[in-house]
Amino acid sequence: MTLSVLALDLGTRTGWAAKGKDRAIVSGVMNFKPQRFEGGGMRFLRFKRWLTELKANLDGIDALYFEEVRRHVSTDSAHAYGGFLATLTAWCEHHEIPYQGVPVGTIKRHVSGKGNASKEDVIAAVRKRGFNPADDNEADALAIMLWVQDTQETEYENA
């Protein structure tokens, strides 16, 4: 049986890639930028609601992978990432979905051959694999999905 997998590049503009039980990969970008009159926590509530909707549309999520970022360009981006990560891991625990972070260098090295690949390099590498990402966030999510497919797939083939 083939299981469904979700790959996420967490952030205000969250890139996502999902592989359903039919093995088709779909992807996109969701924007969780706070609205003008919203409190700071609303982006995380919208993120949680979106995860639940995605889970329903995929007929469940059997495993979730996300880009594990250890260094951020700004304090604000570090805070946002931490909020998304906390929301994601609590949501996964609540729904009993196994999750795993994948280091940035691992993803870049796998898809492009260089652990320090630029955003443009990752986009180009993902395009070579037949995808057309809208931006670097979607490209990162697709790169995670390709890593899962190429390195973790045997775990899901016999499940």
Side-chain angles (χ1 to χ4, degrees):
M1 172 174 76
T2 302
L3 304 180
S4 61
V5 177
L6 180 61
L8 297 175
D9 175 37
L10 298 174
T12 297
R13 287 184 48 82
T14 292
W16 63 274
K19 184 165 87 168
K21 293 177 184 4
D22 63 357
R23 298 185 150 281
I25 296 175
V26 294
S27 62
V29 179
M30 278 298 295
N31 190 344
F32 296 104
K33 182 178 179 187
Q35 305 299 311
R36 185 172 179 189
F37 298 109
E38 280 186 334
M42 285 303 296
R43 73 167 66 187
F44 305 118
L45 290 176
R46 284 191 282 114
F47 175 62
K48 181 179 167 187
R49 182 175 59 231
W50 174 74
L51 287 171
T52 302
E53 290 169 4
L54 200 53
K55 179 177 176 267
N57 290 336
L58 292 172
D59 194 24
I61 297 170
D62 298 305
L64 192 146
Y65 294 83
F66 63 92
E67 185 179 58
E68 186 175 48
V69 181
R70 293 288 184 190
R71 188 171 294 175
H72 299 274
V73 293
S74 73
T75 302
D76 286 346
S77 64
H79 289 178
Y81 178 83
F84 284 112
L85 183 58
T87 302
L88 176 67
T89 56
W91 182 86
C92 286
E93 294 288 350
H94 176 80
H95 292 279
E96 299 180 344
I97 297 170
Y99 56 93
Q100 177 182 334
V102 185
V104 174
T106 300
I107 299 162
K108 289 181 175 189
R109 190 175 312 102
H110 179 78
V111 77
S112 75
K114 296 187 314 189
N116 64 347
S118 69
K119 292 175 189 282
E120 293 77 19
D121 291 339
V122 172
I123 291 170
V126 168
R127 284 191 173 138
K128 277 186 184 174
R129 296 282 298 261
F131 298 96
N132 189 24
D135 65 13
D136 60 291
N137 301 297
E138 185 176 359
D140 287 348
L142 285 163
I144 296 165
M145 183 60 73
L146 291 169
W147 177 84
V148 170
Q149 192 171 275
D150 296 345
T151 67
Q152 310 296 300
E153 197 66 48
T154 55
E155 293 179 24
Y156 300 112
E157 288 303 313
N158 301 317

